[in-house]
Amino acid sequence: MKMLAKVLFLKVLFAATHALDYQNFRLESLCSVYQDKKTLFLKSQPAVITFNSRNTKRIKCHLELRLPSDYFGFSVFTEIMRLENKTGCSTDFLQFGRDFIFITSFKSTKRCGEIEPTQRVVGEDGSLIQINYGNNTRQQREYIEAKDDEMDIWMVIDPPGLNQPNKELKLIVTPFKKVCSKNDYLYKKCPSNNKCIKRELFCDGVINCDGEEKDEEEEYCQKGSILAGSDIFISLPVIIIAVIVSIVVLMVFVILCKITITYCNPKPRIRPSTTPRMGTVTPRGTVMPRGTVTPRGTVTPRGTVTPRETLTPRGTFLPDITDLNPRPSAPVMSMGEEGPYMSPLPPTYNEVMGLGYKEEPPKYSEWPE
């Protein structure tokens, strides 16, 4: 039961992290009447190069395919080719090669003519027994570039005649690893040689391996499609990748939650209070309206005019100023029969300076101009 659970877990993990798609390139969009070189970066992903249209002008094409390093090579399998077959392939042709810096160091023989699609011979249970290459040999369909991590492809396709069918070409280009171990959980050796292709390419309906025995045969599909050995269960790279992916997903989830909470629950705005608090200072020169109640602790500066009723109510007696201050200032109000009132006469010098001030007032002649 444990073994089955581990296998299912690895299959799900492998499918999620190593899903492989073929890159598709159409010569109609890559090539033109001029033989300009187009560079295609395959990385380690297989590609399908096709041509299937009725061209009205001659097409010249020069493709340069590149791999990530010289640990890899190219395996090309011609699935379909319907080109004009003339002596020496003088009109239509397909040719492979490689270059050194800017100089072409090698070119293969030109290929032309017709190559029909391969046929699968299957048994009663649906399993593949063999592959039928038709009138062409296996070697006529295959090309291997193992000396360089770059490969050049030249193609020339003339327009078909008036009553001739469309010309057609389909190439399967598979990057292979030159060396791999039995415990490599990404790559697996081809049945006929030591070249290694990605494990998910086995039994995917496309021929990727060169040699007599192919990766599509049933007996090689049943031999551990993704498990290279027991060491995969404790493979450190798989564990590291799973942990990193989990941490990144968790961090993204937490950040999204915080943004959502902040957006849905904005902080309430604090409105300024209109009620004066204790210790409020009334600016100098402020006129207090009649009937205003000044809060406790309010400091009224010199020069503030306060209505009569707010200062001293009728019938209230002020204490003797001399008892409070040895140098009292001039009285603001006088007492009458009906209560305190404002005197119409200006205060005297002693009232202004205070009773304790003994210096004589300055003479008018001493007053500065």
Side-chain angles (χ1 to χ4, degrees), residues 176-199 202 208-210 213-216 220-221 223-225 228:
F176 63 84
K177 199 174 181 181
K178 297 177 183 178
V179 178
C180 66
S181 64
K182 292 182 179 180
N183 293 328
D184 193 329
Y185 66 95
L186 287 179
Y187 289 85
K188 180 181 176 181
K189 286 185 178 182
C190 289
S192 298
N193 49 58
N194 292 327
K195 300 181 183 70
C196 306
I197 64 172
K198 289 195 172 182
R199 291 182 172 271
F202 278 79
N208 302 101
C209 286
D210 67 300
E213 300 178 58
K214 297 299 182 183
D215 52 287
E216 298 302 305
Y220 303 109
C221 299
K223 293 182 179 179
S225 59

PDB file of all heavy atoms in Angstrom, residues 176-199 202 208-210 213-216 220-221 223-225 228:
ATOM      1  N   PHE A 176      18.634  15.095 -27.321  1.00  0.00           N
ATOM      2  CA  PHE A 176      18.958  13.947 -26.459  1.00  0.00           C
ATOM      3  C   PHE A 176      20.180  14.288 -25.607  1.00  0.00           C
ATOM      4  O   PHE A 176      21.027  15.109 -25.986  1.00  0.00           O
ATOM      5  CB  PHE A 176      19.214  12.674 -27.284  1.00  0.00           C
ATOM      6  CG  PHE A 176      20.398  12.755 -28.206  1.00  0.00           C
ATOM      7  CD1 PHE A 176      21.695  12.485 -27.751  1.00  0.00           C
ATOM      8  CD2 PHE A 176      20.231  13.078 -29.546  1.00  0.00           C
ATOM      9  CE1 PHE A 176      22.790  12.550 -28.606  1.00  0.00           C
ATOM     10  CE2 PHE A 176      21.311  13.146 -30.404  1.00  0.00           C
ATOM     11  CZ  PHE A 176      22.598  12.880 -29.933  1.00  0.00           C
ATOM     12  N   LYS A 177      20.233  13.630 -24.478  1.00  0.00           N
ATOM     13  CA  LYS A 177      21.366  13.775 -23.569  1.00  0.00           C
ATOM     14  C   LYS A 177      22.383  12.693 -23.913  1.00  0.00           C
ATOM     15  O   LYS A 177      22.026  11.514 -24.052  1.00  0.00           O
ATOM     16  CB  LYS A 177      20.879  13.634 -22.118  1.00  0.00           C
ATOM     17  CG  LYS A 177      21.804  14.184 -21.071  1.00  0.00           C
ATOM     18  CD  LYS A 177      21.135  14.112 -19.693  1.00  0.00           C
ATOM     19  CE  LYS A 177      22.030  14.672 -18.615  1.00  0.00           C
ATOM     20  NZ  LYS A 177      21.396  14.587 -17.276  1.00  0.00           N
ATOM     21  N   LYS A 178      23.642  13.071 -24.045  1.00  0.00           N
ATOM     22  CA  LYS A 178      24.647  12.112 -24.511  1.00  0.00           C
ATOM     23  C   LYS A 178      24.961  11.046 -23.471  1.00  0.00           C
ATOM     24  O   LYS A 178      25.295   9.915 -23.821  1.00  0.00           O
ATOM     25  CB  LYS A 178      25.929  12.859 -24.891  1.00  0.00           C
ATOM     26  CG  LYS A 178      25.738  13.832 -26.058  1.00  0.00           C
ATOM     27  CD  LYS A 178      26.995  14.612 -26.362  1.00  0.00           C
ATOM     28  CE  LYS A 178      26.764  15.614 -27.479  1.00  0.00           C
ATOM     29  NZ  LYS A 178      27.972  16.434 -27.775  1.00  0.00           N
ATOM     30  N   VAL A 179      24.847  11.377 -22.195  1.00  0.00           N
ATOM     31  CA  VAL A 179      25.137  10.424 -21.121  1.00  0.00           C
ATOM     32  C   VAL A 179      24.085  10.597 -20.037  1.00  0.00           C
ATOM     33  O   VAL A 179      23.726  11.726 -19.680  1.00  0.00           O
ATOM     34  CB  VAL A 179      26.545  10.657 -20.519  1.00  0.00           C
ATOM     35  CG1 VAL A 179      26.786   9.676 -19.363  1.00  0.00           C
ATOM     36  CG2 VAL A 179      27.618  10.513 -21.583  1.00  0.00           C
ATOM     37  N   CYS A 180      23.576   9.493 -19.509  1.00  0.00           N
ATOM     38  CA  CYS A 180      22.657   9.549 -18.366  1.00  0.00           C
ATOM     39  C   CYS A 180      22.818   8.265 -17.564  1.00  0.00           C
ATOM     40  O   CYS A 180      23.271   7.231 -18.067  1.00  0.00           O
ATOM     41  CB  CYS A 180      21.206   9.722 -18.818  1.00  0.00           C
ATOM     42  SG  CYS A 180      20.530   8.323 -19.743  1.00  0.00           S
ATOM     43  N   SER A 181      22.459   8.317 -16.294  1.00  0.00           N
ATOM     44  CA  SER A 181      22.587   7.157 -15.408  1.00  0.00           C
ATOM     45  C   SER A 181      21.247   6.445 -15.278  1.00  0.00           C
ATOM     46  O   SER A 181      20.198   6.954 -15.690  1.00  0.00           O
ATOM     47  CB  SER A 181      23.074   7.616 -14.026  1.00  0.00           C
ATOM     48  OG  SER A 181      22.113   8.463 -13.419  1.00  0.00           O
ATOM     49  N   LYS A 182      21.283   5.277 -14.687  1.00  0.00           N
ATOM     50  CA  LYS A 182      20.053   4.504 -14.487  1.00  0.00           C
ATOM     51  C   LYS A 182      19.108   5.187 -13.509  1.00  0.00           C
ATOM     52  O   LYS A 182      17.897   4.995 -13.574  1.00  0.00           O
ATOM     53  CB  LYS A 182      20.392   3.103 -13.993  1.00  0.00           C
ATOM     54  CG  LYS A 182      21.103   2.238 -15.026  1.00  0.00           C
ATOM     55  CD  LYS A 182      21.360   0.849 -14.470  1.00  0.00           C
ATOM     56  CE  LYS A 182      22.041  -0.034 -15.509  1.00  0.00           C
ATOM     57  NZ  LYS A 182      22.310  -1.401 -14.990  1.00  0.00           N
ATOM     58  N   ASN A 183      19.661   5.950 -12.578  1.00  0.00           N
ATOM     59  CA  ASN A 183      18.848   6.609 -11.556  1.00  0.00           C
ATOM     60  C   ASN A 183      18.426   8.022 -11.967  1.00  0.00           C
ATOM     61  O   ASN A 183      17.922   8.776 -11.136  1.00  0.00           O
ATOM     62  CB  ASN A 183      19.626   6.681 -10.238  1.00  0.00           C
ATOM     63  CG  ASN A 183      19.862   5.307  -9.631  1.00  0.00           C
ATOM     64  OD1 ASN A 183      19.034   4.415  -9.791  1.00  0.00           O
ATOM     65  ND2 ASN A 183      20.980   5.136  -8.960  1.00  0.00           N
ATOM     66  N   ASP A 184      18.636   8.378 -13.218  1.00  0.00           N
ATOM     67  CA  ASP A 184      18.201   9.685 -13.704  1.00  0.00           C
ATOM     68  C   ASP A 184      16.689   9.644 -13.899  1.00  0.00           C
ATOM     69  O   ASP A 184      16.182   8.903 -14.738  1.00  0.00           O
ATOM     70  CB  ASP A 184      18.907  10.007 -15.030  1.00  0.00           C
ATOM     71  CG  ASP A 184      18.749  11.464 -15.434  1.00  0.00           C
ATOM     72  OD1 ASP A 184      17.708  12.058 -15.091  1.00  0.00           O
ATOM     73  OD2 ASP A 184      19.667  12.009 -16.083  1.00  0.00           O
ATOM     74  N   TYR A 185      15.962  10.437 -13.094  1.00  0.00           N
ATOM     75  CA  TYR A 185      14.508  10.372 -13.159  1.00  0.00           C
ATOM     76  C   TYR A 185      13.929  11.291 -14.240  1.00  0.00           C
ATOM     77  O   TYR A 185      12.721  11.325 -14.432  1.00  0.00           O
ATOM     78  CB  TYR A 185      13.888  10.715 -11.801  1.00  0.00           C
ATOM     79  CG  TYR A 185      14.101  12.133 -11.349  1.00  0.00           C
ATOM     80  CD1 TYR A 185      13.152  13.119 -11.579  1.00  0.00           C
ATOM     81  CD2 TYR A 185      15.261  12.481 -10.658  1.00  0.00           C
ATOM     82  CE1 TYR A 185      13.346  14.415 -11.162  1.00  0.00           C
ATOM     83  CE2 TYR A 185      15.456  13.780 -10.235  1.00  0.00           C
ATOM     84  CZ  TYR A 185      14.498  14.734 -10.481  1.00  0.00           C
ATOM     85  OH  TYR A 185      14.708  16.022 -10.044  1.00  0.00           O
ATOM     86  N   LEU A 186      14.769  12.029 -14.949  1.00  0.00           N
ATOM     87  CA  LEU A 186      14.295  12.869 -16.058  1.00  0.00           C
ATOM     88  C   LEU A 186      14.536  12.217 -17.414  1.00  0.00           C
ATOM     89  O   LEU A 186      13.711  12.360 -18.317  1.00  0.00           O
ATOM     90  CB  LEU A 186      14.981  14.240 -16.014  1.00  0.00           C
ATOM     91  CG  LEU A 186      14.546  15.215 -14.924  1.00  0.00           C
ATOM     92  CD1 LEU A 186      15.348  16.499 -15.016  1.00  0.00           C
ATOM     93  CD2 LEU A 186      13.062  15.520 -15.023  1.00  0.00           C
ATOM     94  N   TYR A 187      15.657  11.522 -17.559  1.00  0.00           N
ATOM     95  CA  TYR A 187      16.040  10.955 -18.857  1.00  0.00           C
ATOM     96  C   TYR A 187      16.148   9.442 -18.765  1.00  0.00           C
ATOM     97  O   TYR A 187      16.437   8.883 -17.697  1.00  0.00           O
ATOM     98  CB  TYR A 187      17.367  11.550 -19.334  1.00  0.00           C
ATOM     99  CG  TYR A 187      17.253  12.989 -19.761  1.00  0.00           C
ATOM    100  CD1 TYR A 187      17.348  14.022 -18.832  1.00  0.00           C
ATOM    101  CD2 TYR A 187      17.047  13.330 -21.099  1.00  0.00           C
ATOM    102  CE1 TYR A 187      17.244  15.355 -19.214  1.00  0.00           C
ATOM    103  CE2 TYR A 187      16.943  14.656 -21.498  1.00  0.00           C
ATOM    104  CZ  TYR A 187      17.038  15.658 -20.542  1.00  0.00           C
ATOM    105  OH  TYR A 187      16.927  16.973 -20.930  1.00  0.00           O
ATOM    106  N   LYS A 188      15.940   8.812 -19.913  1.00  0.00           N
ATOM    107  CA  LYS A 188      15.999   7.360 -20.004  1.00  0.00           C
ATOM    108  C   LYS A 188      16.699   6.984 -21.310  1.00  0.00           C
ATOM    109  O   LYS A 188      16.504   7.653 -22.337  1.00  0.00           O
ATOM    110  CB  LYS A 188      14.580   6.787 -19.972  1.00  0.00           C
ATOM    111  CG  LYS A 188      14.513   5.267 -20.056  1.00  0.00           C
ATOM    112  CD  LYS A 188      13.059   4.822 -20.035  1.00  0.00           C
ATOM    113  CE  LYS A 188      12.947   3.322 -20.224  1.00  0.00           C
ATOM    114  NZ  LYS A 188      11.534   2.873 -20.233  1.00  0.00           N
ATOM    115  N   LYS A 189      17.501   5.938 -21.273  1.00  0.00           N
ATOM    116  CA  LYS A 189      18.258   5.519 -22.451  1.00  0.00           C
ATOM    117  C   LYS A 189      17.329   4.965 -23.531  1.00  0.00           C
ATOM    118  O   LYS A 189      16.341   4.290 -23.242  1.00  0.00           O
ATOM    119  CB  LYS A 189      19.282   4.456 -22.076  1.00  0.00           C
ATOM    120  CG  LYS A 189      20.481   5.002 -21.317  1.00  0.00           C
ATOM    121  CD  LYS A 189      21.514   3.911 -21.085  1.00  0.00           C
ATOM    122  CE  LYS A 189      22.735   4.461 -20.369  1.00  0.00           C
ATOM    123  NZ  LYS A 189      23.776   3.429 -20.164  1.00  0.00           N
ATOM    124  N   CYS A 190      17.686   5.265 -24.761  1.00  0.00           N
ATOM    125  CA  CYS A 190      16.958   4.696 -25.891  1.00  0.00           C
ATOM    126  C   CYS A 190      17.244   3.195 -25.984  1.00  0.00           C
ATOM    127  O   CYS A 190      18.317   2.720 -25.556  1.00  0.00           O
ATOM    128  CB  CYS A 190      17.375   5.387 -27.191  1.00  0.00           C
ATOM    129  SG  CYS A 190      16.791   7.090 -27.339  1.00  0.00           S
ATOM    130  N   PRO A 191      16.328   2.423 -26.526  1.00  0.00           N
ATOM    131  CA  PRO A 191      16.509   0.965 -26.556  1.00  0.00           C
ATOM    132  C   PRO A 191      17.734   0.497 -27.343  1.00  0.00           C
ATOM    133  O   PRO A 191      18.346  -0.523 -26.994  1.00  0.00           O
ATOM    134  CB  PRO A 191      15.217   0.470 -27.216  1.00  0.00           C
ATOM    135  CG  PRO A 191      14.222   1.555 -26.990  1.00  0.00           C
ATOM    136  CD  PRO A 191      14.990   2.825 -27.010  1.00  0.00           C
ATOM    137  N   SER A 192      18.117   1.213 -28.402  1.00  0.00           N
ATOM    138  CA  SER A 192      19.181   0.718 -29.284  1.00  0.00           C
ATOM    139  C   SER A 192      20.538   1.366 -29.061  1.00  0.00           C
ATOM    140  O   SER A 192      21.523   0.944 -29.681  1.00  0.00           O
ATOM    141  CB  SER A 192      18.780   0.920 -30.750  1.00  0.00           C
ATOM    142  OG  SER A 192      17.615   0.174 -31.048  1.00  0.00           O
ATOM    143  N   ASN A 193      20.649   2.347 -28.215  1.00  0.00           N
ATOM    144  CA  ASN A 193      21.930   3.032 -28.030  1.00  0.00           C
ATOM    145  C   ASN A 193      21.963   3.706 -26.655  1.00  0.00           C
ATOM    146  O   ASN A 193      21.039   3.520 -25.838  1.00  0.00           O
ATOM    147  CB  ASN A 193      22.160   4.059 -29.146  1.00  0.00           C
ATOM    148  CG  ASN A 193      20.959   4.947 -29.368  1.00  0.00           C
ATOM    149  OD1 ASN A 193      20.509   5.630 -28.462  1.00  0.00           O
ATOM    150  ND2 ASN A 193      20.411   4.917 -30.588  1.00  0.00           N
ATOM    151  N   ASN A 194      23.010   4.465 -26.412  1.00  0.00           N
ATOM    152  CA  ASN A 194      23.186   5.132 -25.121  1.00  0.00           C
ATOM    153  C   ASN A 194      22.649   6.559 -25.092  1.00  0.00           C
ATOM    154  O   ASN A 194      22.835   7.266 -24.093  1.00  0.00           O
ATOM    155  CB  ASN A 194      24.674   5.148 -24.743  1.00  0.00           C
ATOM    156  CG  ASN A 194      25.204   3.756 -24.427  1.00  0.00           C
ATOM    157  OD1 ASN A 194      24.477   2.919 -23.896  1.00  0.00           O
ATOM    158  ND2 ASN A 194      26.461   3.495 -24.770  1.00  0.00           N
ATOM    159  N   LYS A 195      22.023   6.985 -26.156  1.00  0.00           N
ATOM    160  CA  LYS A 195      21.413   8.317 -26.136  1.00  0.00           C
ATOM    161  C   LYS A 195      20.209   8.298 -25.202  1.00  0.00           C
ATOM    162  O   LYS A 195      19.468   7.309 -25.145  1.00  0.00           O
ATOM    163  CB  LYS A 195      20.995   8.719 -27.552  1.00  0.00           C
ATOM    164  CG  LYS A 195      22.138   8.775 -28.548  1.00  0.00           C
ATOM    165  CD  LYS A 195      21.629   9.209 -29.913  1.00  0.00           C
ATOM    166  CE  LYS A 195      22.743   9.190 -30.950  1.00  0.00           C
ATOM    167  NZ  LYS A 195      23.174   7.825 -31.301  1.00  0.00           N
ATOM    168  N   CYS A 196      20.009   9.413 -24.513  1.00  0.00           N
ATOM    169  CA  CYS A 196      18.946   9.488 -23.504  1.00  0.00           C
ATOM    170  C   CYS A 196      17.950  10.580 -23.879  1.00  0.00           C
ATOM    171  O   CYS A 196      18.345  11.711 -24.186  1.00  0.00           O
ATOM    172  CB  CYS A 196      19.526   9.793 -22.124  1.00  0.00           C
ATOM    173  SG  CYS A 196      20.834   8.650 -21.606  1.00  0.00           S
ATOM    174  N   ILE A 197      16.682  10.234 -23.873  1.00  0.00           N
ATOM    175  CA  ILE A 197      15.622  11.214 -24.108  1.00  0.00           C
ATOM    176  C   ILE A 197      14.770  11.317 -22.846  1.00  0.00           C
ATOM    177  O   ILE A 197      14.874  10.478 -21.937  1.00  0.00           O
ATOM    178  CB  ILE A 197      14.756  10.831 -25.316  1.00  0.00           C
ATOM    179  CG1 ILE A 197      14.014   9.520 -25.042  1.00  0.00           C
ATOM    180  CG2 ILE A 197      15.603  10.729 -26.585  1.00  0.00           C
ATOM    181  CD1 ILE A 197      12.982   9.169 -26.104  1.00  0.00           C
ATOM    182  N   LYS A 198      13.960  12.322 -22.783  1.00  0.00           N
ATOM    183  CA  LYS A 198      13.104  12.506 -21.606  1.00  0.00           C
ATOM    184  C   LYS A 198      12.116  11.352 -21.485  1.00  0.00           C
ATOM    185  O   LYS A 198      11.602  10.840 -22.481  1.00  0.00           O
ATOM    186  CB  LYS A 198      12.378  13.840 -21.686  1.00  0.00           C
ATOM    187  CG  LYS A 198      13.306  15.023 -21.466  1.00  0.00           C
ATOM    188  CD  LYS A 198      12.543  16.296 -21.192  1.00  0.00           C
ATOM    189  CE  LYS A 198      13.508  17.400 -20.772  1.00  0.00           C
ATOM    190  NZ  LYS A 198      12.807  18.653 -20.437  1.00  0.00           N
ATOM    191  N   ARG A 199      11.859  10.964 -20.268  1.00  0.00           N
ATOM    192  CA  ARG A 199      11.044   9.769 -20.016  1.00  0.00           C
ATOM    193  C   ARG A 199       9.631   9.897 -20.559  1.00  0.00           C
ATOM    194  O   ARG A 199       9.038   8.907 -21.001  1.00  0.00           O
ATOM    195  CB  ARG A 199      11.010   9.494 -18.508  1.00  0.00           C
ATOM    196  CG  ARG A 199      12.347   9.029 -17.956  1.00  0.00           C
ATOM    197  CD  ARG A 199      12.260   8.730 -16.463  1.00  0.00           C
ATOM    198  NE  ARG A 199      13.509   8.118 -16.019  1.00  0.00           N
ATOM    199  CZ  ARG A 199      13.756   6.809 -16.021  1.00  0.00           C
ATOM    200  NH1 ARG A 199      12.830   5.985 -16.446  1.00  0.00           N
ATOM    201  NH2 ARG A 199      14.923   6.340 -15.621  1.00  0.00           N
ATOM    202  N   PHE A 202       8.663   8.548 -24.148  1.00  0.00           N
ATOM    203  CA  PHE A 202       8.434   7.129 -24.450  1.00  0.00           C
ATOM    204  C   PHE A 202       6.930   6.894 -24.606  1.00  0.00           C
ATOM    205  O   PHE A 202       6.123   7.314 -23.772  1.00  0.00           O
ATOM    206  CB  PHE A 202       8.999   6.235 -23.346  1.00  0.00           C
ATOM    207  CG  PHE A 202      10.482   5.989 -23.469  1.00  0.00           C
ATOM    208  CD1 PHE A 202      11.393   6.950 -23.045  1.00  0.00           C
ATOM    209  CD2 PHE A 202      10.974   4.821 -24.022  1.00  0.00           C
ATOM    210  CE1 PHE A 202      12.760   6.733 -23.155  1.00  0.00           C
ATOM    211  CE2 PHE A 202      12.338   4.593 -24.147  1.00  0.00           C
ATOM    212  CZ  PHE A 202      13.234   5.560 -23.714  1.00  0.00           C
ATOM    213  N   ASN A 208      11.098   9.190 -31.311  1.00  0.00           N
ATOM    214  CA  ASN A 208      12.123  10.128 -30.850  1.00  0.00           C
ATOM    215  C   ASN A 208      13.524   9.527 -30.838  1.00  0.00           C
ATOM    216  O   ASN A 208      14.509  10.270 -30.892  1.00  0.00           O
ATOM    217  CB  ASN A 208      11.784  10.636 -29.445  1.00  0.00           C
ATOM    218  CG  ASN A 208      10.423  11.312 -29.362  1.00  0.00           C
ATOM    219  OD1 ASN A 208       9.441  10.724 -28.913  1.00  0.00           O
ATOM    220  ND2 ASN A 208      10.358  12.544 -29.817  1.00  0.00           N
ATOM    221  N   CYS A 209      13.630   8.226 -30.701  1.00  0.00           N
ATOM    222  CA  CYS A 209      14.939   7.565 -30.646  1.00  0.00           C
ATOM    223  C   CYS A 209      15.346   7.075 -32.029  1.00  0.00           C
ATOM    224  O   CYS A 209      14.504   6.631 -32.831  1.00  0.00           O
ATOM    225  CB  CYS A 209      14.902   6.374 -29.683  1.00  0.00           C
ATOM    226  SG  CYS A 209      14.869   6.839 -27.935  1.00  0.00           S
ATOM    227  N   ASP A 210      16.638   7.132 -32.292  1.00  0.00           N
ATOM    228  CA  ASP A 210      17.143   6.533 -33.519  1.00  0.00           C
ATOM    229  C   ASP A 210      17.537   5.087 -33.238  1.00  0.00           C
ATOM    230  O   ASP A 210      17.556   4.648 -32.091  1.00  0.00           O
ATOM    231  CB  ASP A 210      18.340   7.338 -34.035  1.00  0.00           C
ATOM    232  CG  ASP A 210      19.530   7.225 -33.111  1.00  0.00           C
ATOM    233  OD1 ASP A 210      19.399   7.614 -31.914  1.00  0.00           O
ATOM    234  OD2 ASP A 210      20.595   6.768 -33.538  1.00  0.00           O
ATOM    235  N   GLU A 213      15.525  -0.408 -32.704  1.00  0.00           N
ATOM    236  CA  GLU A 213      14.415  -0.492 -31.745  1.00  0.00           C
ATOM    237  C   GLU A 213      14.020   0.926 -31.337  1.00  0.00           C
ATOM    238  O   GLU A 213      14.866   1.770 -31.040  1.00  0.00           O
ATOM    239  CB  GLU A 213      14.833  -1.324 -30.539  1.00  0.00           C
ATOM    240  CG  GLU A 213      15.222  -2.762 -30.884  1.00  0.00           C
ATOM    241  CD  GLU A 213      15.663  -3.529 -29.649  1.00  0.00           C
ATOM    242  OE1 GLU A 213      14.864  -3.623 -28.709  1.00  0.00           O
ATOM    243  OE2 GLU A 213      16.809  -3.995 -29.642  1.00  0.00           O
ATOM    244  N   LYS A 214      12.723   1.152 -31.279  1.00  0.00           N
ATOM    245  CA  LYS A 214      12.216   2.498 -31.042  1.00  0.00           C
ATOM    246  C   LYS A 214      11.581   2.632 -29.663  1.00  0.00           C
ATOM    247  O   LYS A 214      11.204   1.643 -29.019  1.00  0.00           O
ATOM    248  CB  LYS A 214      11.184   2.872 -32.121  1.00  0.00           C
ATOM    249  CG  LYS A 214      11.777   2.916 -33.531  1.00  0.00           C
ATOM    250  CD  LYS A 214      12.880   3.968 -33.625  1.00  0.00           C
ATOM    251  CE  LYS A 214      13.447   4.060 -35.023  1.00  0.00           C
ATOM    252  NZ  LYS A 214      14.563   5.015 -35.128  1.00  0.00           N
ATOM    253  N   ASP A 215      11.441   3.889 -29.266  1.00  0.00           N
ATOM    254  CA  ASP A 215      10.864   4.187 -27.950  1.00  0.00           C
ATOM    255  C   ASP A 215       9.361   3.966 -27.926  1.00  0.00           C
ATOM    256  O   ASP A 215       8.752   4.037 -26.854  1.00  0.00           O
ATOM    257  CB  ASP A 215      11.155   5.648 -27.576  1.00  0.00           C
ATOM    258  CG  ASP A 215      10.748   6.623 -28.653  1.00  0.00           C
ATOM    259  OD1 ASP A 215      11.430   6.684 -29.703  1.00  0.00           O
ATOM    260  OD2 ASP A 215       9.759   7.335 -28.468  1.00  0.00           O
ATOM    261  N   GLU A 216       8.734   3.685 -29.067  1.00  0.00           N
ATOM    262  CA  GLU A 216       7.292   3.492 -29.116  1.00  0.00           C
ATOM    263  C   GLU A 216       6.890   2.031 -28.957  1.00  0.00           C
ATOM    264  O   GLU A 216       5.689   1.738 -28.894  1.00  0.00           O
ATOM    265  CB  GLU A 216       6.736   4.038 -30.442  1.00  0.00           C
ATOM    266  CG  GLU A 216       6.940   5.526 -30.628  1.00  0.00           C
ATOM    267  CD  GLU A 216       6.310   6.340 -29.499  1.00  0.00           C
ATOM    268  OE1 GLU A 216       5.103   6.190 -29.247  1.00  0.00           O
ATOM    269  OE2 GLU A 216       7.038   7.117 -28.846  1.00  0.00           O
ATOM    270  N   TYR A 220       9.072  -1.478 -24.120  1.00  0.00           N
ATOM    271  CA  TYR A 220       9.823  -0.416 -23.443  1.00  0.00           C
ATOM    272  C   TYR A 220       8.891   0.575 -22.739  1.00  0.00           C
ATOM    273  O   TYR A 220       9.329   1.344 -21.891  1.00  0.00           O
ATOM    274  CB  TYR A 220      10.703   0.320 -24.453  1.00  0.00           C
ATOM    275  CG  TYR A 220      11.648  -0.609 -25.163  1.00  0.00           C
ATOM    276  CD1 TYR A 220      11.460  -0.933 -26.510  1.00  0.00           C
ATOM    277  CD2 TYR A 220      12.716  -1.194 -24.487  1.00  0.00           C
ATOM    278  CE1 TYR A 220      12.314  -1.812 -27.157  1.00  0.00           C
ATOM    279  CE2 TYR A 220      13.574  -2.070 -25.134  1.00  0.00           C
ATOM    280  CZ  TYR A 220      13.364  -2.374 -26.465  1.00  0.00           C
ATOM    281  OH  TYR A 220      14.214  -3.257 -27.110  1.00  0.00           O
ATOM    282  N   CYS A 221       7.629   0.531 -23.094  1.00  0.00           N
ATOM    283  CA  CYS A 221       6.671   1.386 -22.390  1.00  0.00           C
ATOM    284  C   CYS A 221       6.350   0.828 -21.017  1.00  0.00           C
ATOM    285  O   CYS A 221       6.029   1.567 -20.096  1.00  0.00           O
ATOM    286  CB  CYS A 221       5.364   1.487 -23.189  1.00  0.00           C
ATOM    287  SG  CYS A 221       5.574   2.218 -24.817  1.00  0.00           S
ATOM    288  N   LYS A 223       8.317  -0.763 -18.948  1.00  0.00           N
ATOM    289  CA  LYS A 223       9.439  -0.801 -18.011  1.00  0.00           C
ATOM    290  C   LYS A 223       9.613   0.545 -17.339  1.00  0.00           C
ATOM    291  O   LYS A 223      10.405   1.377 -17.746  1.00  0.00           O
ATOM    292  CB  LYS A 223      10.736  -1.182 -18.726  1.00  0.00           C
ATOM    293  CG  LYS A 223      10.752  -2.604 -19.242  1.00  0.00           C
ATOM    294  CD  LYS A 223      12.083  -2.920 -19.881  1.00  0.00           C
ATOM    295  CE  LYS A 223      12.123  -4.348 -20.394  1.00  0.00           C
ATOM    296  NZ  LYS A 223      13.410  -4.671 -21.038  1.00  0.00           N
ATOM    297  N   GLY A 224       8.794   0.747 -16.298  1.00  0.00           N
ATOM    298  CA  GLY A 224       8.972   1.933 -15.458  1.00  0.00           C
ATOM    299  C   GLY A 224       9.004   3.222 -16.234  1.00  0.00           C
ATOM    300  O   GLY A 224      10.054   3.718 -16.584  1.00  0.00           O
ATOM    301  N   SER A 225       7.816   3.759 -16.527  1.00  0.00           N
ATOM    302  CA  SER A 225       7.779   4.961 -17.342  1.00  0.00           C
ATOM    303  C   SER A 225       8.378   6.169 -16.656  1.00  0.00           C
ATOM    304  O   SER A 225       8.911   7.045 -17.306  1.00  0.00           O
ATOM    305  CB  SER A 225       6.330   5.272 -17.731  1.00  0.00           C
ATOM    306  OG  SER A 225       5.552   5.440 -16.572  1.00  0.00           O
ATOM    307  N   ALA A 228      13.030   5.452 -12.126  1.00  0.00           N
ATOM    308  CA  ALA A 228      14.325   4.933 -12.549  1.00  0.00           C
ATOM    309  C   ALA A 228      14.906   3.976 -11.531  1.00  0.00           C
ATOM    310  O   ALA A 228      15.775   3.184 -11.830  1.00  0.00           O
ATOM    311  CB  ALA A 228      15.286   6.087 -12.768  1.00  0.00           C
TER     312      ALA A 228
END
